[in-house]
């Protein structure tokens, strides 16, 4: 008797509330499924992002390097590291890179360099603001150490300026016509080399570009420190007033885990 009453009441409640119940069930299913989809998407993204190796580069770099406090690394040596650490196939024309830029960015082969708390990207006329993940990481390392030195010297808050990054053969040929010192075989072709100027800096407080000897010295110390740590190869160019530097990568097949 009691069972029949319970059954009848259940039927009545179900008839009245069946649509809200259906909606509640659908919501619960979605709540259970959405995190799994997000998790699988995050896992997929992690697979596409290359691992950044950190080790003793004086021993385990992809190409030979000796720890020195110097700003005179030859372009030939920088080219060797650029070829080892950068693009396997360089871009012959600007159109070829523009057409392929979305793919290489999506696959994290190259990363677009953007303004951040450490740097400003100037209007690049003969290069594209792209570099390998390790090179972009190095830019942030330079920025962090540079900012630390500015604070220690109580010089204020400045950002350095990126003046050149990835080049194509086409842009390199244009530079050859303007600058006889430019090389046909440039490390910039591989996306592992950057130019930053030591002539002027962005003053965050005033929002203006300024020339400062003391701020320039802080950047010089930063580049010397990182060169001594074998994080980069660098040459101080006089005519263009830039530090032309190439990232030094660790070889994951040689480096200890």
């Amino acid at each position: 008797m009691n069972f029949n009453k319970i059954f009848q009441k259940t039927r009545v409640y179900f008839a009245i509330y069946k649509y809200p119940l259906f909606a509640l069930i659908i919501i619960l299913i979605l709540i259970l499924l959405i995190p799994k989809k997000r998790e699988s998407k995050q896992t997929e993204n992690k697979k596409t992002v290359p691992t950044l190796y950190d080790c003793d580069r004086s021993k385990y770099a992809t190409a030979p390097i000796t720890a020195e406090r110097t700003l005179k690394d030859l372009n030939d040596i920088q080219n060797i590291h650029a070829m080892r650490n950068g693009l396997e196939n360089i871009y012959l024309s600007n159109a070829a890179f523009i057409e392929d830029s979305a793919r290489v960015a999506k696959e994290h082969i190259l990363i677009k360099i953007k303004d951040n708390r450490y740097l400003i990207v100037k209007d690049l006329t003969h290069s594209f603001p792209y570099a390998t993940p390790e090179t972009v990481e190095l830019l942030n390392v330079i920025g962090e150490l540079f900012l630390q030195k500015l604070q220690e010297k109580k010089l204020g808050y400045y950002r350095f300026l990126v003046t050149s990054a990835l080049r194509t053969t086409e842009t390199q040929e244009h530079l050859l016509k303007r600058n006889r010192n430019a090389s046909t075989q440039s490390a910039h072709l591989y996306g592992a080399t950057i130019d930053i100027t030591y002539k002027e800096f962005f003053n965050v407080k005033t929002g203006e570009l300024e020339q400062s000897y003391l701020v320039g010295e802080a950047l010089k110390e930063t580049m010397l420190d990182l060169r001594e740590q074998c994080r980069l190869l660098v040459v101080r160019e006089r005519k263009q007033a830039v530090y032309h530097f190439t990232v030094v990568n660790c070889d994951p097949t040689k480096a200890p885990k």
Side-chain angles (χ1 to χ4, degrees), residues 38-234:
R38 286 179 180 172
E39 184 179 348
S40 63
K41 190 172 182 180
Q42 290 174 355
T43 304
E44 183 181 347
N45 288 337
K46 286 180 181 178
K47 290 179 180 178
T48 59
V49 177
T51 303
L52 303 178
Y53 293 92
D54 195 11
C55 67
D56 185 349
R57 288 166 173 78
S58 64
K59 296 179 181 178
Y60 307 112
T62 54
I65 182 173
T66 303
E68 295 180 71
R69 287 187 72 80
T70 180
L71 300 173
K72 297 180 180 180
D73 289 309
L74 298 176
N75 284 327
D76 290 344
I77 303 300
Q78 294 202 41
N79 283 336
I80 292 172
H81 281 262
M83 287 187 282
R84 293 280 180 88
N85 303 331
L87 295 172
E88 293 181 6
N89 299 306
I90 64 175
Y91 291 94
L92 299 180
S93 67
N94 294 345
F97 172 72
I98 292 170
E99 183 179 352
D100 201 36
S101 59
R103 180 189 68 83
V104 294
K106 182 178 180 181
E107 296 178 7
H108 297 276
I109 297 171
L110 295 175
I111 294 177
K112 188 170 185 179
I113 305 169
K114 299 179 180 179
D115 297 352
N116 61 27
R117 66 192 297 258
Y118 303 126
L119 63 90
I120 300 290
V121 181
K122 293 195 73 175
D123 293 332
L124 307 183
T125 57
H126 290 83
S127 66
F128 295 92
Y130 285 83
T132 64
E134 293 84 359
T135 308
V136 174
E137 181 192 36
L138 175 61
L139 278 173
N140 290 327
V141 171
I142 293 171
E144 187 174 352
L145 184 56
F146 176 53
L147 184 59
Q148 179 183 327
K149 290 185 180 297
L150 291 176
Q151 292 173 344
E152 290 172 355
K153 298 174 184 295
K154 298 180 180 179
L155 294 174
Y157 183 8
Y158 291 84
R159 298 175 186 174
F160 61 83
L161 308 178
V162 174
T163 60
S164 188
L166 175 71
R167 296 177 189 167
T168 66
T169 302
E170 179 183 343
T171 56
Q172 191 64 23
E173 288 174 352
H174 285 312
L175 281 174
L176 280 170
K177 295 176 183 178
R178 296 177 53 188
N179 180 7
R180 292 180 181 180
N181 293 325
S183 172
T184 54
Q185 184 63 32
S186 172
H188 282 283
L189 298 171
Y190 300 91
T193 301
I194 300 289
D195 288 351
I196 61 176
T197 181
Y198 56 81
K199 184 178 181 180
E200 57 183 2
F201 303 89
F202 180 79
N203 187 325
V204 176
K205 185 177 181 179
T206 64
E208 301 290 338
L209 294 179
E210 297 179 5
Q211 295 186 13
S212 170
Y213 173 79
L214 293 177
V215 175
E217 285 297 296
L219 182 61
K220 179 181 178 181
E221 289 179 17
T222 299
M223 303 306 283
L224 285 169
D225 287 352
L226 293 174
R227 176 61 185 86
E228 190 173 25
Q229 297 169 23
C230 296
R231 295 297 300 264
L232 51 77
L233 291 156
V234 56

